[in-house]
Amino acid sequence: MLDATLNSLGLPKAPAQTRVVVAMSGGVDSSVVAAVLKDQGYDVVGVTLQLYDHGAALAKKGACCAGRDIHDARRVAEAMGFPHYVLDYENTFREAVIDEFADAYLAGATPVPCIRCNERVKFKDLLATARDLDADCMATGHYIQRKMGAAGPELHMAADPGRDQSYFLFSTTAEQLDYLRFPLGHLASKAETRALAARYGLPVADKPDSQDICFVPNGDYAAVIEKLRPGAGQPGEIVDLAGRVLGTHRGVIHYTIGQRKGLGIGGLGDPVYVVKLDPETRRVVVGPKSALSTRTIPVREINWLGDEPLTARPEWPVLARVRSTRAPREAIIRPLSATEAEVELLAPEDGVSSGQACVFYAPEGTRVLGGGWIWKG
C-alpha cells in the first residue's frame, strides 16, 4: 500500500508543489488527464507536439496532433487555466518515424509507426523536455496502468480490455516508467472518460476518437508511400508458391501479408492469400491459408521489463500478442541475447508479419513483460 505521505501520483509532495507535464494531443483522453490533475491541485503544464506539416494537417479529420487538435488542446488549457506550449517536432518525427515507416513498407514489412512515435519522440524527446521544465513527472492519456511492484514500477494492461494500448507501449523502458504516469488506465470504460470531460465542461467532450495513423489520411498507406518515395508503386507479378505467374499487380506497397481481397486473380478455386512480399523481384506471392500459419517467430530489439534479466533463464513461459487486434496467446521465449529471442507459439497464428511487434505478458495477471520486433531470419 502507498505511504500516506505520497500524493495521487505517488510522489512525496503536496499536489501544488508537484509539476506535471501533460502530453496533450487535443483529444478527449489527454484533455481529461490535464483537467483532472489541474482540479486535484497539481502544477499542470500542457505540451502539444506539431509532428507534421501544419497546413496539410488542417485539412485532415480524425488524426492526433493535427492543426485543429493543437487548437483544441489550447482551448482546454485556457478553460482549465494552465499554461500550454506547442513544440515543433516535425523534423524529428520525419526522421525518427515517417522515414522508417516508408522504408519498412518498401522492404515488404508491415510497420507500426505509433510504437516508434512513443519510443522515439513522445517518451524520449518530449520526456526530456518535461525534465527541462523541472517537471516531477509526465502524464499521458494512454490506456495502460503503472503499478508498483516488489522491484519497482511495472507496466500493466488497462482495466478496460477494449481500450488497452499496451501493444503500442511495450518499448517503454524501466527508466521512463519511473517518470511516466497514466491516469486513465484504471477506468472501466471510455464512457467514464467522456463523463469526466463533460463534468469539467471541456470543449472536446464529444470529439470523436482518432482512427488513422496521424500522417496517413483515410488509411491509404500506399498513397503516402508513393508521395514519400516516388516510383515505389511499380507493377509486378503475382505468383503462387511454385513461382507460376497468376497475374499482375500495381505495386508491392498495395499489399499486406494475409490479404485475401483485391488480388484480381479469381477463378482459382480455393481462396488464396498473400503469404510473402518480395520487393527485390517486385513479386507478390500467394498461397493457401495454411501457408500463413506460423509457430516460430524471430524477435529482435527486445525491451525486457521483467524483474530478472531476459537471459537469466533458457525459457520464459508468457502470453504473446503478434498484432494489436489479437488476444495474447500462450508462448515460450527462448533468449538468444539480451535483445534477441526466438518465440514459439503453442498454437500457430496466421499472418505473422515482419515489421509488427510481438509483445509479452505474464502468464497470469495483467503485467507487460516487454516485447520486440518481428523480423524474418
Side-chain angles (χ1 to χ4, degrees):
M1 189 172 179
L2 289 178
D3 190 289
T5 60
L6 299 182
N7 61 33
S8 65
L9 294 175
L11 297 165
K13 291 183 175 184
Q17 277 73 55
T18 304
R19 176 169 290 177
V20 186
V21 162
V22 179
M24 299 183 67
S25 68
V28 64
D29 298 325
S30 56
S31 296
V32 165
V33 167
V36 168
L37 294 177
K38 177 63 178 178
D39 185 50
Q40 291 176 354
Y42 288 96
D43 177 12
V44 172
V45 178
V47 176
T48 301
L49 304 182
Q50 180 182 317
L51 297 180
Y52 54 95
D53 181 70
H54 195 73
L58 285 168
K60 182 179 179 329
K61 297 181 180 180
C64 72
C65 309
R68 62 167 47 85
D69 295 322
I70 292 172
H71 175 66
D72 287 343
R74 185 178 291 120
R75 290 169 64 207
V76 169
E78 290 174 353
M80 295 301 299
F82 59 82
H84 174 256
Y85 301 97
V86 178
L87 304 180
D88 184 356
Y89 275 37
E90 188 175 333
N91 289 338
T92 299
F93 186 67
R94 184 179 63 250
E95 294 169 3
V97 180
I98 296 180
D99 284 345
E100 183 186 84
F101 169 84
D103 292 340
Y105 250 97
L106 291 179
T110 309
V112 191
C114 296
I115 297 176
R116 288 302 196 194
C117 182
N118 290 325
E119 173 190 335
R120 297 176 173 176
V121 181
K122 293 177 181 175
F123 291 176
K124 183 183 178 184
D125 293 341
L126 178 55
L127 193 145
T129 297
R131 293 188 187 276
D132 289 341
L133 292 171
D134 294 324
D136 296 284
C137 63
M138 187 174 91
T140 80
H142 290 106
Y143 286 87
I144 196 166
Q145 298 186 79
R146 175 189 183 275
K147 298 183 179 182
M148 290 304 297
E154 299 174 352
L155 204 59
H156 286 255
M157 297 171 69
D160 178 5
R163 303 297 302 182
D164 175 57
Q165 292 177 293
S166 58
Y167 183 85
F168 300 100
L169 296 168
F170 79 84
S171 60
T172 306
T173 66
E175 181 183 8
Q176 292 167 344
L177 191 56
D178 192 52
Y179 192 69
L180 289 164
R181 300 295 187 274
F182 309 105
L184 301 184
H186 70 286
L187 298 183
S189 70
K190 181 62 178 269
E192 289 189 45
T193 306
R194 292 201 178 276
L196 285 168
R199 172 185 161 190
Y200 289 110
L202 300 183
V204 295
D206 297 321
K207 187 174 182 177
D209 291 341
S210 59
Q211 300 295 328
D212 301 326
I213 295 170
C214 64
F215 60 92
V216 183
N218 306 316
D220 191 348
Y221 297 88
V224 172
I225 303 302
E226 280 274 26
K227 183 177 179 181
L228 293 168
R229 302 287 187 270
Q234 297 181 30
E237 297 173 335
I238 299 177
V239 302
D240 64 15
L241 292 170
R244 290 187 293 266
V245 177
L246 304 177
T248 58
H249 63 76
R250 55 198 179 100
V252 172
I253 60 173
H254 293 277
Y255 301 85
T256 57
I257 301 297
Q259 180 176 334
R260 175 186 171 186
K261 296 181 179 179
L263 300 180
I265 49 171
L268 297 177
D270 294 332
V272 294
Y273 301 77
V274 175
V275 299
K276 181 182 178 182
L277 300 172
D278 191 340
E280 290 187 7
T281 62
R282 300 205 305 273
R283 281 186 158 188
V284 172
V285 183
V286 299
K289 190 173 184 180
S290 59
L292 289 169
S293 293
T294 303
R295 287 192 59 171
T296 303
I297 306 172
V299 180
R300 60 185 176 184
E301 292 184 60
I302 291 174
N303 178 56
W304 181 251
L305 294 172
D307 295 339
E308 299 176 78
L310 177 62
T311 53
R313 305 182 192 178
E315 293 186 349
W316 292 87
V318 297
L319 297 178
R321 174 179 280 166
V322 297
R323 289 213 181 219
S324 62
T325 53
R326 298 186 185 179
R329 305 285 183 88
E330 289 184 310
I332 296 171
I333 302 173
R334 296 188 176 92
L336 301 175
S337 72
T339 59
E340 291 185 300
E342 183 179 87
V343 177
E344 180 186 351
L345 304 173
L346 299 196
E349 285 263 18
D350 292 340
V352 175
S353 175
S354 174
Q356 294 283 307
C358 182
V359 181
F360 314 135
Y361 301 85
E364 297 178 355
T366 59
R367 186 176 180 185
V368 182
L369 294 176
W373 294 94
I374 300 169
W375 66 295
K376 297 299 183 184

